[in-house]
Amino acid sequence: MRWPGGPVATALRVVEVTEPDTWVDLTAEPLPLAEVVAWATVPGCGGLAVFVGTVRDHAEGRPGVVALEYEAYEPAAQQVLSQIAGEARRRWPEIGRVALLHRTGRLAVGEASVVVAVSTPHRAEAFAAARWCIDTLKESVPIWKREAWSNGQAWSPDAHPLREVGSGGGGR
Amino acid sequence: MRWPGGPVATALRVVEVTEPDTWVDLTAEPLPLAEVVAWATVPGCGGLAVFVGTVRDHAEGRPGVVALEYEAYEPAAQQVLSQIAGEARRRWPEIGRVALLHRTGRLAVGEASVVVAVSTPHRAEAFAAARWCIDTLKESVPIWKREAWSNGQAWSPDAHPLREVGSGGGGR
Amino acid sequence: MVVFLGPAREAAGTGRSVVPGTSVGEVVASVRARFGPGMDDLLAVSRVWLNGAPADPDAPVGPDDEVAILPPVSGG
Amino acid sequence: MVVFLGPAREAAGTGRSVVPGTSVGEVVASVRARFGPGMDDLLAVSRVWLNGAPADPDAPVGPDDEVAILPPVSGG
């Protein structure tokens, strides 16, 4: 899906040019956790908080989860990841680097579905910003999870009505 | 330093045998961040929170920090890391894996001095436990930091009187 | 062009469809009319975006525009 | 045997020393007597451990035991 010259293309181009310290991505490949951790480490920032979401072997009422499938509304989902990174910087200007990566497609139990990494000079801000980013990501990014468990498959019931980034709630 | 048959040796042996899901270490080698992240990911736990402390290029009143040197009271420091992991499990029984690794010796700017990783079924507990672990580590582990900056070197003034693990404060 | 995502794709039985309408509101009304009561329930909790961003019901829709039906999300 | 760590090692001018005393409190008093006022200030904010764990001043100290002077810590 593309909107030539539309708002999404413009926003993405701006992000890429002006934010070398921001890394957002939607990818069907395994998330590069080690690279994210290394990339987010910068000399001015003594604290790096990372959150990794991984596919659990169970969900509410669904024992024996064997796989998940994530479907994203691209490229809008990628644009929302950029918005979250931008809003995090507005709330915590001390952020050095921020990474928000989400996996798409089919994932096995134990694979990482999402990684958030935030580096700041001091640890309190890194924890708070990383927590805000993952909470906001779960409410604001157009991504849907389909679960396949021991005797069925269906969309995840653990869903949130889509909210706009920065429309209240959490953090600073 | 060794105390043959003393409390430290006994405690360490117990930890190694009974806690395969706990990884604590003091090491003069670069911290294996990627391995820690991979190790802490387990099928039952959907949330992994990681904190990495890195050597900053500045400290209060000390511009141009070029290196740090960490000195630990071994093996007591390692035993306290084990105590912190144990107390974290007591406070958050849902913890799957917990890692607490601290570097010793001379570190350059940007190198990781400490890593904490905690996996739990849900993200709130992972964040809370990781935060408690790093806060407690900074107050309870017998380690001292010496800073070398642009025109001097001295022990870090950012020091806390040593506290026993679990003697109040923070978390649950 | 209307795009149905996640559970909305399942309710519609298709990922995309062309329905009548010259505004976001008219397009949504067409979707409601064409698809069954399952879609009705889903629309009640879904967001509607135009070209990748939230849009008002009276925002104009031309042939090159994309209206998206976004049910409650479950990323992370 | 007394072990001086971090800033205490610097204040003592040595990492370890043998001083008289048959209890933790006596050993600390000997340390206080032998080293200068810099050590006095440091002892005021330090913890004293015996064989790797916190100990009371009246805990007995034999020739194979290790008393450690632990100034405020700065790990992390």
Side-chain angles (χ1 to χ4, degrees):
Chain A
M1 291 163 227
R2 292 284 156 196
W3 304 283
V8 172
T10 307
L12 284 176
R13 192 170 312 120
V14 168
V15 166
E16 281 163 11
V17 171
T18 65
E19 296 276 20
D21 289 334
T22 298
W23 181 4
V24 300
D25 201 17
L26 279 173
T27 174
E29 302 295 315
L31 296 181
L33 303 182
E35 288 88 333
V36 167
V37 170
W39 174 87
T41 301
V42 287
C45 289
L48 167 64
V50 180
F51 177 79
V52 181
T54 53
V55 177
R56 276 188 295 159
D57 55 11
H58 63 282
E60 313 323 321
R62 296 177 178 180
V65 167
V66 293
L68 292 187
E69 193 154 341
Y70 284 95
E71 169 180 327
Y73 181 37
E74 297 187 55
Q78 176 124 355
Q79 187 191 15
V80 176
L81 291 176
S82 293
Q83 288 172 356
I84 295 171
E87 178 67 15
R89 285 188 186 285
R90 198 186 66 73
R91 294 180 181 224
W92 292 276
E94 53 275 76
I95 287 176
R97 286 191 165 170
V98 53
L100 298 164
L101 284 74
H102 204 295
R103 180 86 180 270
T104 57
R106 190 173 178 87
L107 280 73
V109 168
E111 284 197 278
S113 57
V114 64
V115 58
V116 169
V118 181
S119 57
T120 59
H122 299 283
R123 69 186 182 285
E125 291 75 19
F127 273 101
R131 180 68 199 267
W132 181 87
C133 282
I134 184 63
D135 288 354
T136 304
L137 183 153
K138 282 175 173 269
E139 295 183 337
S140 304
V141 183
I143 295 180
W144 296 267
K145 173 166 66 177
R146 195 171 169 80
E147 296 169 342
W149 67 99
S150 49
N151 53 352
Q153 62 167 43
W155 296 100
S156 172
D158 180 19
H160 311 268
L162 190 62
R163 288 172 64 152
E164 282 185 69
V165 175
S167 59
R172 258 188 212 179
Chain B
M1 291 162 223
R2 292 286 155 193
W3 303 284
V8 172
T10 305
L12 285 176
R13 192 169 314 122
V14 168
V15 165
E16 282 162 12
V17 172
T18 65
E19 296 276 19
D21 289 333
T22 298
W23 181 4
V24 300
D25 201 17
L26 280 172
T27 173
E29 302 295 315
L31 296 182
L33 303 182
E35 286 88 334
V36 167
V37 170
W39 174 85
T41 300
V42 286
C45 290
L48 168 64
V50 181
F51 177 80
V52 181
T54 53
V55 177
R56 277 188 297 159
D57 55 11
H58 63 282
E60 315 320 321
R62 296 177 177 179
V65 167
V66 293
L68 293 187
E69 193 154 340
Y70 285 95
E71 169 180 329
Y73 180 37
E74 297 187 55
Q78 175 124 358
Q79 187 191 17
V80 176
L81 291 177
S82 293
Q83 289 173 355
I84 295 171
E87 178 67 16
R89 284 188 188 283
R90 199 187 64 74
R91 294 181 181 223
W92 291 276
E94 53 274 78
I95 288 176
R97 287 190 164 171
V98 53
L100 298 165
L101 284 74
H102 203 295
R103 180 85 180 270
T104 57
R106 192 173 178 86
L107 280 72
V109 168
E111 284 197 279
S113 56
V114 64
V115 58
V116 169
V118 181
S119 57
T120 59
H122 298 283
R123 70 187 183 284
E125 291 75 18
F127 272 102
R131 180 67 198 269
W132 179 87
C133 282
I134 184 64
D135 289 355
T136 303
L137 183 154
K138 283 175 174 266
E139 295 182 336
S140 305
V141 183
I143 296 181
W144 297 267
K145 173 166 66 179
R146 196 172 169 79
E147 295 170 342
W149 66 99
S150 50
N151 55 351
Q153 62 167 43
W155 296 100
S156 172
D158 180 20
H160 311 268
L162 190 61
R163 287 171 64 152
E164 282 186 69
V165 175
S167 59
R172 262 190 210 175
Chain C
M1 167 78 81
V2 184
V3 178
F4 300 99
L5 281 304
R9 181 168 49 70
E10 201 161 68
T14 179
R16 42 190 57 221
S17 178
V18 176
V19 302
T22 60
S23 71
V24 167
E26 287 178 16
V27 167
V28 171
S30 295
V31 166
R32 202 181 296 275
R34 178 172 308 179
F35 300 95
M39 178 61 79
D40 228 46
D41 295 348
L42 209 51
L43 281 172
V45 292
S46 293
R47 300 287 182 260
V48 180
W49 283 11
L50 176 64
N51 296 337
D56 287 332
D58 54 5
V61 174
D64 293 337
D65 290 324
E66 181 172 300
V67 174
I69 308 298
L70 309 170
V73 296
S74 48
Chain D
M1 167 79 81
V2 182
V3 179
F4 301 98
L5 281 305
R9 182 169 46 73
E10 201 160 69
T14 179
R16 43 189 56 221
S17 178
V18 176
V19 301
T22 59
S23 70
V24 168
E26 288 179 16
V27 167
V28 172
S30 295
V31 167
R32 203 181 295 275
R34 179 173 306 179
F35 299 95
M39 179 61 79
D40 229 45
D41 295 347
L42 210 52
L43 281 172
V45 292
S46 293
R47 300 287 182 260
V48 180
W49 283 9
L50 175 64
N51 296 339
D56 286 333
D58 54 4
V61 174
D64 293 336
D65 289 325
E66 182 173 298
V67 174
I69 308 298
L70 309 169
V73 295
S74 48

